[in-house]
Every structure is written in C-alpha cells, then in structure tokens.
Amino acid sequence: MGSETSSLHVLFFPLMAPGHLIPMTDIAKLFSLRQGVHVSIVTTPLNSTRIQSTIDRTTHHSGHHNITIHLLHLPFSEAGLPEGCENLDSVTSPEMTLAFLKAVNLLLHPFEQLVERLHPDCIVSDMFLPWTIDVTEKFNIPRLVFHGTSYFALCVSNSIQRYAPHESVSTETEPFLVPKLPHPIEITKSQMPDFLKSQTPFKETMQKVKEADSRSYGVVMNSFYELEPDYEKHYREEVIGSDRAWHIGPVSLCNRDQIDMAERGKKAFIDANQCLDWLSSRQPGSVLYFCFGSTCDLIGAQLMEIAVALEASGHPFIWVVRNTDRMGSEEEWMPDGFEERMKGKGLIIRGWAPQVVILNHPAVGGFVTHCGWNSVLEGVSAGVPMVTWPMFAEQFYNEKLITRVLRTGVEVGTKVWARSKETRPMMKREVIERAVAQLMGGGDDADERRRRARELGEKAKKAVENGGSSYMDLDRLIEDLKLYSHQGK
C-alpha cells in the first residue's frame, strides 16, 4: 500500500458510563498502536480525567503521539440533571437515566461541528448515541457501532424481538425456548428487559438504536471468535445479514502494565500492591472475588445477606462494596463485628477496585459477578469460573452464555430483571452460600468448570496476540476502512 493510502483517522464517541467508556478507550488504544492510524476520543471533562493517564502512557510507550481527546460539555440544566452528573455511575434512578440520555442527545450540534472541523475517516459510535448516524451520513463518513456486549446477547435479543416467543407463555415465571439459536436456550418473561414486554420510555430509545444500526457501516465487537463461534456466525448471517462485524477482544488485554490494569477507567480506592500482597499470602485458587460492577446498587439488607454468606462459606474473599455513601450507617448492611472477625480472612474494598489485577492473581479461584459484559470478559480472560447474579440490561442473557453454553458458571438463582435496587427480590444467605460452595468446592463438576475456564483464558490471550483471531480481525477492519476512505477521496 502506498504512502498516500497509509493514514486513517478514527473518531471514538463512547457513552459516558464506565461499562462503555472503558472498553471503547481500550479499543481506541488498540487502533492507535497500528501503523498509520490516528485516533480521537470525544468525551466530557470529568470523563477525560478518567482516561487521560492511560492515554498518556500508551502514547509514551508507543512513541506515537496519535491519540487526541476532544471535550464536549453536557447541558445539565437543560436535561434536568444535577450539576456535575457527567457519568452514569452517578445516576441513582431510572428517571435520572432517561434525563442523562436526554443530555447526551443535546450534544448533537456541538458534535456535528467537531466532526466538520476534524473530518475523520470513520466514527466509532456507542449504540446509545443513535443520532450520530445523521452526522456520519451528512459528511459521508462510515459509522461503526459499539454495543459493548456479546454476540450471544445480541442474537438472543434479536430472536425475542423477531419471533416474540414470550407471548406464548401465560406467566412471568414459565420458561420458554428462544427460537432458532444454535443452542437450546430457555428464559422467562421475568428475566427480560421491560422494554421488550411493554411500552416504556426506554423502548423509543432502543427503536432508534436499532434503526441507526441498520444504517451503519458495521459493528465492532468486544469478543473473540473462540468464545462464541456459533453466535458470531449466527449474528452475521441471521441478525445483520453481512460480514461487517469485527471481533477484536477481549480488549481489556491491551492493558499490559500493572498501573493500566489497576487504574482501568478510574483510580482505585485501594492500592493495587496492597491487593497483591494480600492475595500472595493465599493458596492458589482459594479466594472468592465478589463484585457487581459500577452501576448495580444493592439495598443494605441484601448486603447483609451477602456478608453473612461470605462468613459462613469459610473461603477467603475480596468483596467490593460500591456507593456506601448512599446506604446510611454501616450497621444497616454489615453484621456486628464482621470486619473485625474477617481480618486476615476477607478484604473489603469500598469503592472502585483494581478488578483486572485481582482477577489475574493465581490466588483467585472464583468470581461472583452481575454478568455485565466487561466483567464477564475480564473473568474469562483470567480463566476464572463464575457465580452469575444478573440484575438488569442484557445480564440475564450473558448468564445463559456462561452457564449453558460455556458451562463455566453457577447460577445464584435470581429470576427477576429489575433496574431499581428497591424492586429486586432478596437473595437469601443460604442461596448465596450454596452457589459459592458449588463453585469453590471439589468434585467432578467443579473441576470441569475450572478446566473449561482455564482453557478459555488461554484462548482469550492467544486471540489478541499477533496472528490470533482478534488481532487479525482488527487488521482486516483497519485495511477495510483505509480502502473505503481512500476510494472516497
């Protein structure tokens, strides 16, 4: 390829939420490390502080200063948001979520002006910014959409929307088979997102997302072929009807330095070395890691049940408890004397944790997760089996992938999709303890889960290495975009 066709400018626009900002920043870093690719990232001032240090380290290590961050300011008052609410992890209700998305939608005109000034060759847009398709079409720029979930979840969602199998059951708890998937997958109406069952304010947003996807150039997936090959094929052939879906993950594996792993998306509330020192004093595979991501709040009574179950399990643990400032006094969610009794046995982290560092330590033998896709992939990449505890979004779909297809997890047994912590059914201590015992115990089933998890971890790492399936798909995508760009010039 000649020098006149060797450059490519890709602009990334993630939703301002940890589960979207973090992987899209990783993808931007991956693009920037390829020859002749310049990257721009669009975000808000607060969110830029969460990614600036990792961007600086990437450009320093690579020797190429080819990542630029451009700032847009959210119109808080116009959308009815409190001042400084720049990220979804500060949103506390479904109503605030809708207000937040309204604020993001109001960025259309400043974003259009930025694109006109920068004139990138391609825009990678978060799924929740469907209006970016109007901008890309205006300037004749290809739009790649980022969903931030699995092929599997997209296939399940498409099948339910296309065939409406849930309409054939009479109750919320009666299982039904999701049609025309590579595996027999059962789910209940109670585990489905609200917008698929009734007319909700969010339904209109998802309709706009679907329509924008149909007009986009293609899809970038944070997954890898060896993880879900049947669903990669099904997604291309049955969902989008083209081969314009590129899997380039697990993108978290682009973070090789400990500091990048520790500060992925936000500075941790605990020093990574403190976690490593604590873990290094434990037996291999003995520690349970318990974390529910950045947006899954729990009521104090549920945290109390978790604490009692962890103590009763007898396993050493790291428990991440977020948003403790919203819970009242610790007496409401922590058993009397719990922390004192657990000294040396358990490590409680209040706030953001260096999750990738923790999961990759040999002492960690299990992961209790809410099944957010970033956490799932980070667990898979570390070769760790999981207890699945989904709550909302597409998390119940991801649970089915882990437990029914990959068979590397144990279901805690939650059955109700609920965005609000107040409406979630309580999971009792006995149920939690039973799932932990099943995951961390001995026996053929547990050993098989661990073996399969280890194998997937090895495949994940190979996928992103030179010559691996994700490495090669990223190369193909970049070459495709360069060809498209220079044919149009």
Side-chain angles (χ1 to χ4, degrees):
M1 185 177 286
S3 60
E4 71 278 8
T5 61
S6 63
S7 64
L8 185 73
H9 180 194
V10 184
L11 186 149
F12 290 82
F13 195 0
L15 183 70
M16 303 82 177
H20 298 248
L21 178 67
I22 294 171
M24 281 190 75
T25 299
D26 286 340
I27 294 171
K29 287 162 61 175
L30 285 169
F31 269 77
S32 75
L33 294 171
R34 291 299 203 271
Q35 187 68 34
V37 181
H38 177 77
V39 164
S40 293
I41 302 174
V42 181
T43 192
T44 63
L46 173 64
N47 289 287
S48 71
T49 65
R50 296 183 173 189
I51 63 173
Q52 187 68 61
S53 59
T54 188
I55 295 301
D56 290 343
R57 283 189 293 272
T58 300
T59 56
H60 174 74
H61 292 318
S62 68
H64 304 295
H65 294 278
N66 56 353
I67 306 180
T68 308
I69 297 176
H70 300 273
L71 301 181
L72 296 179
H73 297 268
L74 276 179
F76 304 111
S77 57
E78 287 180 60
L81 282 173
E83 190 72 25
C85 184
E86 289 187 42
N87 196 291
L88 264 179
D89 62 2
S90 59
V91 166
T92 57
S93 69
E95 292 74 24
M96 279 186 70
T97 300
L98 289 171
F100 185 87
L101 291 175
K102 179 183 176 183
V104 173
N105 291 342
L106 292 172
L107 293 175
L108 169 60
H109 294 301
F111 178 71
E112 184 177 315
Q113 292 168 358
L114 179 66
V115 171
E116 186 171 23
R117 178 164 60 85
L118 297 177
H119 198 68
D121 298 303
C122 172
I123 291 174
V124 183
S125 167
D126 194 281
M127 63 174 286
F128 284 116
L129 309 175
W131 44 265
T132 55
I133 190 67
D134 298 324
V135 179
T136 59
E137 288 179 346
K138 177 177 180 178
F139 295 110
N140 193 28
I141 301 168
R143 176 190 190 255
L144 291 171
V145 61
F146 176 72
H147 282 276
T149 190
S150 57
Y151 282 117
F152 178 87
L154 294 175
C155 291
V156 171
S157 180
N158 175 263
S159 179
I160 290 175
Q161 290 181 67
R162 184 184 293 187
Y163 302 109
H166 55 289
E167 294 179 1
S168 66
V169 295
S170 56
T171 69
E172 287 283 308
T173 56
E174 182 183 346
F176 62 86
L177 195 68
V178 183
K180 301 184 184 299
L181 292 179
H183 295 83
I185 301 298
E186 284 191 335
I187 199 165
T188 65
K189 284 175 73 173
S190 65
Q191 295 172 317
M192 289 169 49
D194 288 344
F195 77 89
L196 289 178
K197 296 184 289 184
S198 60
Q199 193 68 40
T200 70
F202 195 60
K203 193 180 189 80
E204 183 182 348
T205 298
M206 294 309 294
Q207 287 169 340
K208 289 178 180 176
V209 167
K210 186 177 180 181
E211 198 264 336
D213 285 2
S214 69
R215 291 157 58 191
S216 296
Y217 184 76
V219 182
V220 179
M221 296 293 297
N222 182 16
S223 187
F224 62 104
Y225 177 78
E226 293 80 4
L227 182 68
E228 41 179 351
D230 295 336
Y231 294 91
E232 184 250 21
K233 183 173 184 287
H234 185 87
Y235 182 74
R236 291 173 188 254
E237 294 179 356
E238 302 297 330
V239 179
I240 62 171
S242 83
D243 61 355
R244 287 186 176 172
W246 294 270
H247 46 83
I248 61 173
V251 299
S252 62
L253 292 176
C254 76
N255 299 286
R256 304 296 176 93
D257 292 351
Q258 185 175 303
I259 188 168
D260 280 333
M261 289 191 283
E263 295 185 5
R264 190 165 176 256
K266 200 174 187 180
K267 190 171 179 60
F269 281 75
I270 186 171
D271 183 63
N273 288 319
Q274 186 180 341
C275 289
L276 292 174
D277 289 345
W278 189 91
L279 286 165
S280 295
S281 66
R282 310 291 151 190
Q283 292 295 316
S286 66
V287 175
L288 180 72
Y289 176 60
F290 207 120
C291 182
F292 284 156
S294 57
T295 55
C296 291
D297 282 2
L298 297 175
I299 61 172
Q302 182 63 84
L303 292 170
M304 180 73 76
E305 294 296 308
I306 291 170
V308 173
L310 284 173
E311 184 170 4
S313 77
H315 295 286
F317 62 85
I318 294 180
W319 181 22
V320 182
V321 186
R322 299 236 169 101
N323 301 318
T324 54
D325 57 322
R326 301 177 192 168
M327 296 177 199
S329 66
E330 290 200 349
E331 288 76 17
E332 294 177 33
W333 62 270
M334 188 179 288
D336 187 41
F338 174 77
E339 201 155 11
E340 187 64 32
R341 291 194 303 277
M342 292 299 101
K343 270 190 178 169
K345 185 77 172 179
L347 183 62
I348 301 172
I349 301 175
R350 294 168 174 81
W352 195 267
Q355 179 159 294
V356 175
V357 172
I358 292 168
L359 284 171
N360 281 278
H361 195 281
V364 174
F367 179 18
V368 182
T369 175
H370 66 304
C371 301
W373 187 238
N374 291 316
S375 288
V376 169
L377 268 186
E378 288 160 17
V380 165
S381 301
V384 176
M386 304 176 218
V387 167
T388 59
W389 189 333
M391 299 183 191
F392 62 93
E394 88 294 5
Q395 294 161 15
F396 282 93
Y397 301 161
N398 292 334
E399 174 183 63
K400 301 300 180 187
L401 174 65
I402 297 165
T403 59
R404 306 299 166 86
V405 180
L406 304 176
R407 293 179 295 134
T408 58
V410 175
E411 295 182 10
V412 77
T414 182
K415 300 297 182 187
V416 178
W417 190 102
R419 182 65 181 87
S420 169
K421 64 182 179 181
E422 285 80 16
T423 57
R424 270 181 219 127
M426 183 77 68
M427 300 305 295
K428 294 297 186 181
R429 60 193 70 178
E430 299 85 2
V431 174
I432 303 166
E433 188 185 347
R434 189 184 312 126
V436 169
Q438 205 176 335
L439 187 80
M440 301 294 286
D444 291 345
D445 287 347
D447 290 343
E448 270 297 296
R449 264 192 302 275
R450 283 189 274 268
R451 182 190 63 77
R452 284 191 289 268
R454 281 195 302 272
E455 286 183 357
L456 279 175
E458 291 164 7
K459 289 176 180 178
K461 293 176 180 68
K462 287 180 181 176
V464 298
E465 292 173 357
N466 196 338
S469 58
S470 292
Y471 189 98
M472 292 174 66
D473 235 24
L474 179 56
D475 273 352
R476 282 193 288 268
L477 172 56
I478 289 173
E479 289 307 310
D480 193 63
L481 292 174
K482 285 182 177 180
L483 186 61
Y484 181 94
S485 169
H486 293 287
Q487 280 178 341
K489 290 181 178 177

